[in-house]
């Protein structure tokens, strides 16, 4: 079904934003900015959500592109909006962009720019240009529509409006994925969120680029630093803000998970892992990459926080330990598992990931996590001392013995109830 589009003369923005837009226009004029336009998601969503004003109210992020310097503009903005209204103000000199929140509405203002990628996946060299030319550097035609408030006109050189009408996601040019592979993840996010179809040319571009990609699977070669950061950010958005199941299904269908690792492209168990991860409150991204052939390397390549890389290493170690463990009769005893899992070799988080993964004996790990680890000795150290025990290692051993006894009694009573 086609989307009925809001006629451009009626392009409506949420009410609080209208006043902000007015002041930004005045400040831009004073700063010598010759042209200013709104671009990207805000324009796209206003066009898509024809007649659904409540959805438009949910736009939190407004991207502007200007011909002129946003840095000069930023001084005037800080003057016009009192410090009470402005927060998170940041300037990026290299790309001539500013970020700020006004009344908690996120505003990004960037100089219209051309991008030149000298090496695939690395950050581009940039030079100033017109708003029309700036639209060429963008990902999908639906995100390359600009709205100039001064003229009240939409600028749509790539037929983005038609693409919105027919619910198509179309990459703007044939080197888009090669220049910025994170667009693969973005494609899945938009397709799943908006229920749009990725065009067949765009799917072919993803496939052909990936088949040539130097990092198509883990080759012990890290992603370039800037690409890792952007890839991790896109994945975090995918897992935390989007319908992640549909996103991952699409990525797998396009053969695109191989950008992360070949093992993940053929992995059939990610749904189970992540659903368990949600129950056990483990970050979804960690549960997902636990299914890679080499999760430690992938965690490093994605520059996950050091604490998460450590969890991944511990998980990998625990998984190998359990797969080498010859299961014997005594391994059914809770005490055996308490002793192993409380040896402090593996953190709680890594044990949770092992449960999510479904390692050998994962049910025992789950019981330990949910139940056994919380059971205490029925007698405290103070009580034992008052009944004649002396402080020291033997007291510790007695407390452990009593605790294990308690765990076994509770387990037995469960079966004999
Ligand atoms: N963009 C791009 N390639 C990227 C990232 C961003 O071309 N890898 C461009 C797109 O034109 C996009 C704009 O930058 O519309 C802003 O990016 P972002 O804030 O991530 O997306 P939104 O447009 O705000 O859309 P949404 O937040 O709804 O995903």
């Amino acid at each position: 079904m086609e989307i009925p589009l809001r006629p451009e003369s009626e392009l409506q923005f949420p009410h609080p934003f209208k006043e902000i837009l007015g002041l930004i226009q005045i400040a831009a004029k004073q700063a010598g900015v010759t042209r200013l336009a709104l671009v990207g998601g805000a324009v796209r969503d206003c066009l898509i959500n024809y007649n659904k004003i409540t959805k438009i109210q949910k736009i939190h992020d407004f991207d502007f592109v200007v011909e002129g310097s946003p840095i000069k503009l930023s001084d005037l903005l800080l003057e016009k909006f009192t410090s009470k209204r402005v927060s998170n103000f940041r300037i990026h000199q290299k790309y001539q962009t500013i970020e700020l929140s006004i009344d908690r509405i996120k505003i990004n203002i960037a100089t219209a720019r051309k991008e030149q990628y000298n090496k695939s996946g690395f950050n581009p060299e940039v030079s100033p240009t017109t708003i029309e030319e700036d639209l060429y550097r963008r990902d999908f035609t639906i995100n390359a529509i600009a709205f100039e408030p001064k003229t009240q006109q939409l600028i749509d050189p790539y037929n983005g409006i038609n693409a919105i009408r027919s619910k198509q996601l179309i990459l703007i040019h044939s080197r888009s994925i090669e220049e910025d592979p994170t667009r693969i993840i973005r494609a899945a996010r938009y397709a799943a969120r908006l229920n749009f179809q990725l065009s067949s040319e765009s799917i072919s571009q993803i496939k052909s680029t990936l088949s040539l990609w130097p990092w198509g699977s883990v080759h012990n070669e890290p992603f370039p630093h800037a690409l890792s950061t952007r890839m991790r950010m896109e994945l975090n958005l995918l897992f935390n803000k989007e319908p992640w199941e549909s996103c991952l299904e699409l990525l797998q269908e396009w053969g695109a998970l191989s950008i992360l690792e070949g093992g993940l492209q053929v992995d059939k168990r990610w749904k189970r892992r992540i659903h368990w991860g949600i129950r056990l409150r483990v970050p979804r991204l960690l549960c997902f990459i636990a299914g890679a052939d080499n999760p430690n390397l992938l965690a490093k390549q994605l520059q996950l926080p050091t604490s998460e890389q450590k969890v991944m290493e511990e998980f990998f170690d625990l998984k190998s330990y359990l797969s080498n463990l010859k299961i014997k009769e005594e391994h059914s005893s809770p005490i055996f598992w308490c002793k192993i899992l409380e040896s402090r070799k593996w953190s709680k988080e890594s044990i949770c990931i092992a449960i999510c993964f479904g390692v050998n004996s994962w049910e025992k790990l789950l019981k330990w996590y949910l139940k056994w680890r919380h059971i205490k000795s029925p007698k405290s150290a103070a009580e034992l001392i008052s009944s004649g025990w002396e402080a020291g290692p033997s007291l510790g051993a007695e407390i452990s013995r009593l605790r294990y006894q308690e765990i076994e009694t509770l387990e037995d009573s469960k079966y004999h109830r």
Side-chain angles (χ1 to χ4, degrees), residues 39-42 44-45 61 63 108 137-140 143-144 180 182-183 186 189-190 193 230 234 237 242:
V39 68
R44 179 199 67 219
D45 289 347
D61 182 357
D63 294 309
N108 295 300
R137 74 174 169 90
R138 294 174 182 272
D139 48 7
F140 300 98
N143 283 344
D180 181 357
T182 63
R183 288 176 173 161
R186 293 176 69 82
R189 287 175 42 215
Y190 290 125
R193 186 201 317 162
R230 285 185 285 120
E234 288 294 340
L237 287 173
E242 310 281 8

Side-chain angles (χ1 to χ4, degrees), residues 78-301:
L78 293 177
E79 228 177 85
K80 290 208 182 312
F81 296 97
T82 54
S83 58
K84 258 193 183 166
R85 298 181 67 185
V86 176
S87 55
N88 304 322
F89 176 69
R90 248 184 278 165
I91 296 185
H92 301 277
Q93 284 289 353
K94 184 174 174 203
Y95 291 105
Q96 286 283 300
T97 58
I98 58 170
E99 274 174 42
L100 70 165
S101 298
I102 302 176
D103 301 339
R104 300 225 190 104
I105 297 175
K106 249 180 94 187
I107 312 266
N108 295 300
I109 308 180
T111 307
R113 64 181 194 242
K114 260 196 266 199
E115 292 184 342
Q116 161 112 26
Y117 287 83
N118 297 324
K119 246 176 140 184
S120 306
F122 280 71
N123 281 343
E125 293 303 320
V126 299
S127 54
T129 186
T130 59
I131 291 176
E132 283 76 6
E133 260 200 290
D134 174 281
L135 297 174
Y136 181 72
R137 74 174 169 90
R138 294 174 182 272
D139 48 7
F140 300 98
T141 61
I142 60 165
N143 283 344
I145 310 170
F147 173 71
E148 230 177 331
K150 189 170 157 194
T151 58
Q152 291 285 300
Q153 292 294 311
L154 288 166
I155 307 168
D156 180 21
Y158 303 106
N159 264 325
I161 294 180
N162 262 344
I164 291 179
R165 263 196 197 106
S166 55
K167 298 183 153 201
Q168 288 275 304
L169 266 180
I170 305 169
L171 287 163
I172 288 175
H173 59 83
S174 59
R175 297 193 56 200
S176 184
I177 298 295
E178 185 187 337
E179 289 178 347
D180 181 357
T182 63
R183 288 176 173 161
I184 297 176
I185 312 288
R186 293 176 69 82
R189 287 175 42 215
Y190 290 125
R193 186 201 317 162
L194 303 172
N195 194 19
F196 278 28
Q197 288 267 330
L198 186 60
S199 72
S200 51
E201 290 82 3
S202 304
I203 296 182
S204 303
Q205 188 184 145
I206 291 180
K207 289 194 169 157
S208 59
T209 312
L210 283 179
S211 69
L212 300 173
W213 208 248
W215 322 293
S217 59
V218 174
H219 285 318
N220 291 327
E221 194 182 323
F223 291 127
H225 188 275
L227 176 60
S228 305
T229 312
R230 285 185 285 120
M231 194 65 97
R232 189 191 59 242
M233 284 162 65
E234 288 294 340
L235 287 168
N236 279 329
L237 287 173
L238 182 156
F239 282 111
N240 300 319
K241 300 264 188 253
E242 310 281 8
W244 56 269
E245 290 194 41
S246 312
C247 291
L248 293 181
E249 274 161 12
L250 285 170
L251 286 168
Q252 212 155 32
E253 190 184 307
W254 303 332
L257 286 178
S258 60
I259 184 81
L260 297 174
E261 206 217 51
L264 287 176
Q265 176 54 37
V266 293
D267 170 34
K268 299 252 187 312
R269 291 169 56 88
W270 52 261
K271 226 178 252 185
R272 177 213 197 266
R273 283 199 306 280
I274 302 174
H275 278 295
W276 270 103
I278 293 169
R279 281 193 222 171
L280 299 178
R281 298 176 190 216
V282 180
R284 296 169 195 189
L285 177 56
L286 277 193
C287 289
F288 176 62
I289 68 170
D293 293 337
N294 192 338
N296 296 342
L297 184 57
L298 190 54
K300 269 199 197 92
Q301 290 192 330

